[in-house]
Structures are given as structure tokens and as C-alpha cells.
Amino acid sequence: HSTDFEVHRNWLAITHSLPISQWYYEATSEWTLDYPPFFAWFEYILSHVAKYFDQEMLNVHNLNYSSSRTLLFQRFSVIFMDVLFVYAVRECCKCIDGKKVGKELTEKPKFILSVLLLWNFGLLIVDHIHFQYNGFLFGLMLLSIARLFQKRHMEGAFLFAVLLHFKHIYLYVAPAYGVYLLRSYCFTANKPDGSIRWKSFSFVRLISLGLVVFLVSALSLGPFLALNQLPQVFSRLFPFKRGLCHAYWAPNFWALYNALDKVLSVIGLKLKFLDPNNIPKASMTSGLVQQFQHTVLPSVTPLATLICTLIAILSLVLSPRLECGSAISAHRNLCLPWSSDSPPSASRVPGIQPSIFCLWFKPQGPRGFLRCLTLCALSSFMFGWHVHEKAILLAILPMSLLSVGKAGDASIFLILTTTGHYSLFPLLFTAPELPIKILLMLLFTIYSISSLKTLFRKEKPLFNWMETFYLLGLGPLEVCCEFVFPFTSWKVKYPFIPLLLTSVYCAVGITYAWFKLYVSVLIDPPIGKTKKQ
Amino acid sequence: MEKWYLMTVVVLIGLTVRWTVSLNSYSGAGKPPMFGDYEAQRHWQEITFNLPVKQWYFNSSDNNLQYWGLDYPPPTAYHSLLCAYVAKFINPDWIALHTSRGYESQAHKLFMRTTVLIADLLIYIPAVVLYCCCLKEISTKKKIANALCILLYPGLILIDYGHFQYNSVSLGFALWGVLGISCDCDLLGSLAFCLAINYKQMELYHALPFFCFLLGKCFKKGLKGKGFVLLVKLACIVVASFVLCWLPFFTEREQTLQVLRRLFPVDRGLFEDKVANIWCSFNVFLKIKDILPRHIQLIMSFCFTFLSLLPACIKLILQPSSKGFKFTLVSCALSFFLFSFQVHEKSILLVSLPVCLVLSEIPFMSTWFLLVSTFSMLPLLLKDELLMPSVVTTMAFFIACVTSFSIFEKTSEEELQLKSFSISVRKYLPCFTFLSRIIQYLFLISVITMVLLTLMTVTLGPPQKLPDLFSVLVCFVSCLNFLFFLVYFNIIIVWDSKSGRNQKKIS
């Protein structure tokens, strides 16, 4: 079983057998409790059902315990919690008004959307094969999005606040929520041209929003504040001691950065620019390690990633160079300490308004919020510190809602999901799982591509030749990595090559999708205007 | 077809379910000394690879026929040989003579499961897809839904991928045969069906309808002209394919006889284990197996089988139609299953295949039958620890059928194809108007019984005195259901063209 299976079993044991004051101190297992308190309470409730299945799994010292009853219970708990996800999908489908083309059920946007969400390959394998409880967490997120669509803002805010205290990875999309609620809920009216009407600000709404968030946080963190354990809780929640990337690089910007570093160092060695003795040993011999020492390019610190993420989200210094698509110059620009840059000003980039700004200056209703949310999630995936490849789901699922609405979004969605899902392949690495992951992936990919193509058949094709070529390239890549490579002599010498290839190949696609989404957010006219025209 | 992608999705769903089931346990896993069908297949690879063809079916020091001796026709053995060559390439230990007996490992399981999947992918699944595409008078959407339901049929999946057998090969060939004959490619169809018989002799259950339908076609074309030419061609094809399949064994008389003796083990008795047929169910009241001598049993079962399939076959010869052909396939196979000699519980799959083919015509009854057929194998599946996959796949299949055919709305007499029957009964019994309601109640009772029995078998231990109580009950209940279905299908077949004539009269 996967490590996450043991992680959750251990948490069941911790919450069941220890007092609250011990929850965030317990360290018998290396898989300490590192989710926010609501998730701990969730495990606590589960453990009271679990004791009827197998008492042994609730023992903290029973490391790596696994019986068939434990397995049954754990698997069923995930399936059971998915009910919330199904409900949320139903709510989302209600409030999405996509294109109306066919009369047949299978061609309706709602049907397609529900399949895209419910059969989502990534969620399916991460939750039900690998083992995690993402289903109901994403259920909460989708539900809160649906509530915002339905103009039930308070409820949406409450659900999101609860979600944050279940799993703090959702902090990545919190800026989108914050700005949207502030702009579209706290300001009750707009000027005719769509810009803000400052006088319409409603203090009551702001305070009630704040109160909701505060109360939820108080409920979650209050007990630990009373126990004076807050610093300990936070140190568990935000472990910055880990490396920039996982052992398997998540396919984001840093994967490209690392790969470039490797290529440069190899070239440098060949051309004798670099002294072989100065090169950190781990970087070339073992290939993929947690603490990655960059050879040529400057090493990246957590602060740098944080800044990059914030920049990507807020896009305060969106230099015109980024437009040229020159990735290297862009990253140099992003990674250098920004004090050397001249003070950022929006006037420097005429005609382009960045993502959060878009949400503020060009409010496009809930749809605009959804795009911004996706972009936040994707940007933090691109530049975050120690990002796990599973985090791509955070962008894929909200993006599904967008995909059935517009052809452009559908095209981005398909590139993003296909590459993002493919990058999850290393999660399942045993031979019996190989056919299942390939089959499920094919199932989802073929369905999503064909159904969206049918939905937008009257518009221009979803992919240009380059994108088609790239996506088709995933097939040969899989064949090389899983069927050919194990039989070559490189398997012993360079065991990391398949992972490296997968990671870099997917990183290209995801970066491309991110870039395309970014551009589309920036240049798209507000929906309201197009409708009027 | 514009909706090819939905068909691809359907096939992928079928494959995913198959592979997921195959991750479960197989028959006889970790149960020495005899193990199960999984070991039988592996053993055949060992035998066919290491011994010369002449010794395959003979008892010798290297080939103990008591330990899973080959008892299928030569093409099965060739298939094993082919798999053995692949196995040799991967790991020679898997098929080493003597020492590999009872070999089990994760890698080997993966290999064996893959061979099943490949065979299925090459033979059965394309046949199903093609069959559904060739269906007439229904919309594309219905065709795809039909393919989904056939591919999700849990019985075949559980036996092939759980229990471990290669039924999809023989059933697939039979399906190709049906496909060929219904598309008027009689020669190709009969060739495919000959392959099916030669892969598994149980396919003889389907042989009579094939024979009758082709004979009927010949008669229809006129025995003096085209019909005779067709008949000669068919005979040639059949003889040629048989000769080709049996070539190494036709060299000596003794070889042929020995293979035949292995294929039809008359001395194994009227039935083995627990089968949902008449003899086993009747055995509860009267121990026929012990009372009557062997040859009387043989004659008796032959007579019953012959009588029960006679009406349908005569009808088919006289009025060959591709719809009648499919129904006759069902009723003949069901007669064989219920009355013939030495039936296995897995033979119900031979009935299920033609029932799958009429799924779009009588969705309600077919779904019901397919559920019962899966249920009838419950004791076997429980023995193989396949409870969870059985429950899940059965539920998935049921939901797929209910949503794609909305079966509960299709219970009128017309949709059950019983219109003409009830009209003719009403001539004598005017108050006979409650047929469809009766059938609905029967369905309800049958499903409730099955669910209850499953729950009881799983949760309650059998009483001390009657250790087989639940499995006997399962067989008995299924047998009652099957008898009902036999009557039903025969009624449909016999009354079929009368409705046509009546309609003509009315019009």
C-alpha cells in the first residue's frame, strides 16, 4: 500500500488514542499529523467507526499495520465521503450554463461536466488507488464555488473557511476568494462602465464575512491557542525544511529549472567550463534527490518561490519580456531579488491588467472569479516550494467548470488535464497497476477530448498542430518509460531517467497551459461587454 | 459512425472492469495439493511445452491425467503451447516439467491474467462491438448502450478474470459465428463456429441451432439449386476446419479415440458438485445418481434434452430467421444446461452469451436471466473469494441495464414478446390478462430471493448437519428460474411467426 495509506492510519491512531494536547506533538511514526485541526477531528470521528472494524489499527505504535479489515474500512471511508463530492458536482452542474448544442443528454454541457468531474482520472487514482481524502475536500471547494455562483456569498465563504481548516493547501486559492468577495460582495454596485463605485461599500457585509471566517478559525484553532500550542501546530503545517522539489519533480517551473541546470552542467563539463571537483556530488550521480544542489544556476530558497508565486498570482511586475515567451529571461526576471527592479507600477504595462487586478478592475461575475481561482492554483503549482504533483488537481477540477463554457478554455483545460494527469503516473508504479492507470487515463482523455470537441464542433479546432503533436507525444513517452526502458542497460545506471523525462515533458505542457491561461485572462474582454455587443 | 468515441469509451470501461476484477484472487490460490483452474491452465502450458504432441492426452509418468489432465480439444492445447512459449521467454521456471507444479507468484499471476486479457481483446470484444454495430432498427445510442451492457456482463468477467478460464475465446468465436451467419457470410460464420467447438467441446450446446439455421437456409434456397451448393460448401468448410484442428491426432486411431475419451468423460457421472440443473436439484428429493445405472442415466438425460429442444429446432428449420436463430440458441443451450449429462456450473455462460445477444429485443427478461445466471455461480465465486467483485460488478451491470434500456417500463405483453401467446390463450380463457403483472411479481420475488440468499450465505454459517445447505438452495432457486426461462423462451419461439401471420390477417 502507498505511504498515504499508512499516514492516514497513523492519524486515526493518534486522534483516537491520544488527548488533543498530544496530537501535534506525537512523533512515533515519521508521518506526523500535518493537516489543520478540522482534518484531525475528521479522523477522530472516523476512528470511532474504525474501532468496530479493527481495534489494532488504532494503536499508535502499530506502525505499518494493515489487515484486510483495515483496508476495507479505509477504502470505504473514502467512498463514503465522496457522497459530498457527488452532491457538490450536482450543485455545480446546476449553475453552469454552457453552450447549448445538442438535444441529446450525452451532448449537454451539464452531462459532460458531471462526467469530467466524477470520472476525473487524477482524483480517482489519488483517492481510490493511491489513497487520500481529496474527494470530499474538493467537494467542499466545488460546493463553495457553486454557492458563489448562486449568489449565496456568506455560505460560500463559510464553506471555504471550513475547507481551509481541513487542508491548508487551499490557501493557494484564498486570494481569489478574498478579492472576489471583497469586490463583488462588499461593494454592492458598479459604475455603468464596470469600474468600482466606492460609495457602495457595505461595512455590514465586510464585518459579517470577517465574522464567519473568524468564528470558523476560532473553532478550529481555538483549542490549540488555549493550550498555547499554536506555534507547534504551525510548524507542523508549514514544513519549510523540505527541499525545493520532491524526489519526483512535480512538473512545474522548477522541474524545467532543474533540468536546465543539469543540461548546463553537462555541457559545462564537456566544454571544460566547469571544474568537476566543484560540482556537488549528488546532483549528477543519483539524479533525483530531495535536497537538490544547483550546479550552474543559483539555488532557490523558499523565499524566492514564495515571491515567485506571489508575483505570478498578483502579477505586480509583469514585464513585457514575459510576453515574448522567452522563459529563461522571464524566470531570471522573476527570481532575481526584486529590490533591484524599479518600483512596480501598472502604468508600465499598458493594456495588460494582471489576474487579481482583473478580478478587481474587470469583474466578470463568478466566471471571472473561477478563472482567477484556477490561475491562482496553477501559478502556485508552478512556482510553489516543495509542490507535490498531486496539487495539480487543485487547478484541474475548477478548470473543468470553465471548460464546458468556452472553446478557448476547453483547449487549455485539455492540455492541462492530459499532461497533469499523465504526470501522476509515477504515483502508481507496480506492474498490476500499470494496465489500470493506462486504461483509466485513456478513458478520461478520450472522453474529455471527444466530448468537448463535439460540444465545440462549430468553432475552430481545439488544438493546433503543435499541441496535437505534443499530446500525441505522451504515448511514445509512456512506451519508452514503462515498456522499453526497463529492458535497457540504462536501468541500473540511470534509474531516474523515466521520472526525469516524464517530469520535464509534462512541465513543458503545464507551463504552456499556464501561460495560455494567463494570456487569456489578461486579454479577454469582460463577458458583460461581449454580451452587449 | 459519428459516435465512435463513445464506443471506445465503452470498450475501455469494459477493459477497466476486467482488469480490476483480475487483481482479485483466482481459483485454488494457495490451496495445495490440487489448486484450481488457474493451476490447470498453467499445467497445460507445462505439458504442451515439454511433451511431444502424441503424449498430450495420454497418461504417463510425465503426464498424470489425474492431475488436471488435458480435457479440451486440441486448439486449447495449441493456445496453451503458445502461452508457454511466451512464459518460457519471461521465466522458464513457470513451465518447467514436474518442478513447476503449483507454481504461484505475483509476476506469474500478472502473466496469466494478461494472456486472458489479450485473448479477450483479440476475439470476444471486437465481436461484441461489431455485433452491436450490425444490429438493425435501433439508434446509435442504443447500440452503444447495448455494447456496454454486454461487455459488463458480470458472469463472464468473474469466471474469466476472477476464477480463471479462457471462456472469452470460445464464446468469442461462437459470437463471430453468429455474426457471420446473421450477416449472410455463412461460410465464414461456420468456420468461426467450428473453431469455437474445437476450442471447447461445450460449444456443442450451440451446435444444433447453427446446424438447423443453416439447413433451413439451404432448404429455403431450394435443395436442388443454390441450396445444395451452399450445403456442400458448408460441409467442406466444417470438415476442413476439423481436420486442420485435429491434424496431429488423426494420424492414429488410438490418438483420436483417446482425445475423444478425454473430451467426453462419461464415467464422471450425471453431474458433479452443485449445478443449477434439473438433475442436481432433483437429487435433493431422490438420489438418482445412486439409484439408476450409468447408461440409463445417460439415455434419460439424452431423451430429456432432445425432447426439450425439439420444438425450437424444428421451428428454426422450417422458418429460418436471424431473430429466431438467436432465440433458438438460447433455448437450446438452456435445455442442454438443464438436462444434459455432466454439466458444470460455468456452462451457464453458454446460455448467457445468446441471452446477451437478445438484450436489446427483450431487455427486461434478458437482464433478469443474466442476473440469475450470475447468482447461480455464487457458491463457486465464494469459494474463490470473489464476493466483493461479484457484488460490485453485478450492481454495475444492473444499473447499466436499467438506465440504458429503462427495463422497468418495458414490461407490457408486447415488449415481452408475449402478445401473440396471450391472444391465443385468451381464445380459451378470456380472463387471461394478468400475464405481464405476474411476470413483474415473479421478477420481484426472484430478485428478493436472490438477495436474501446471498446475504444469508455470506453472513450465516450453515447448520452442522447440512454443510451444503446454502449452495443447494442457490442451485435449487436458480434451477427454478431457469426452468421458467426455458418455458418462456420456447413460448416466444413457437408463437413467434404466428404473430406475423396474425398481423397480416389484421392488416
Side-chain angles (χ1 to χ4, degrees), chain B residues 108-139:
Chain B
H108 187 244
K109 180 181 167 191
L110 193 65
F111 163 72
M112 296 292 272
R113 297 293 199 197
T114 315
T115 59
V116 179
L117 188 74
I118 289 173
D120 203 353
L121 200 56
L122 289 180
I123 299 171
Y124 183 71
I125 292 178
V128 170
V129 171
L130 208 59
Y131 174 80
C132 291
C133 292
C134 291
L135 277 176
K136 284 162 203 148
E137 294 166 15
I138 56 172
S139 65

Side-chain angles (χ1 to χ4, degrees), chain A residues 470-520:
Chain A
Y470 172 81
L471 289 181
L472 287 177
L474 287 173
L477 180 68
E478 168 68 8
V479 172
C480 285
C481 289
E482 308 239 25
F483 296 98
V484 177
F485 186 79
F487 299 103
T488 59
S489 57
W490 286 359
K491 191 183 184 249
V492 187
K493 213 169 157 194
Y494 304 107
F496 57 86
I497 282 187
L499 289 184
L500 184 86
L501 276 180
T502 311
S503 171
V504 172
Y505 194 88
C506 292
V508 172
I510 289 176
T511 313
Y512 175 79
W514 171 76
F515 187 73
K516 218 173 151 185
L517 183 66
Y518 216 120
V519 171
S520 85

Side-chain angles (χ1 to χ4, degrees), chain B residues 79-97:
Chain B
H79 182 203
S80 290
L81 185 61
L82 188 71
C83 294
Y85 273 106
V86 182
K88 171 85 188 331
F89 174 72
I90 301 172
N91 185 352
D93 288 349
W94 292 348
I95 48 156
L97 195 61

Side-chain angles (χ1 to χ4, degrees), chain B residues 409-420:
Chain B
E409 290 147 30
K410 294 194 176 161
T411 50
S412 69
E413 280 178 2
E414 205 150 346
E415 272 144 345
L416 295 174
Q417 314 237 353
L418 287 172
K419 189 88 181 163
S420 52

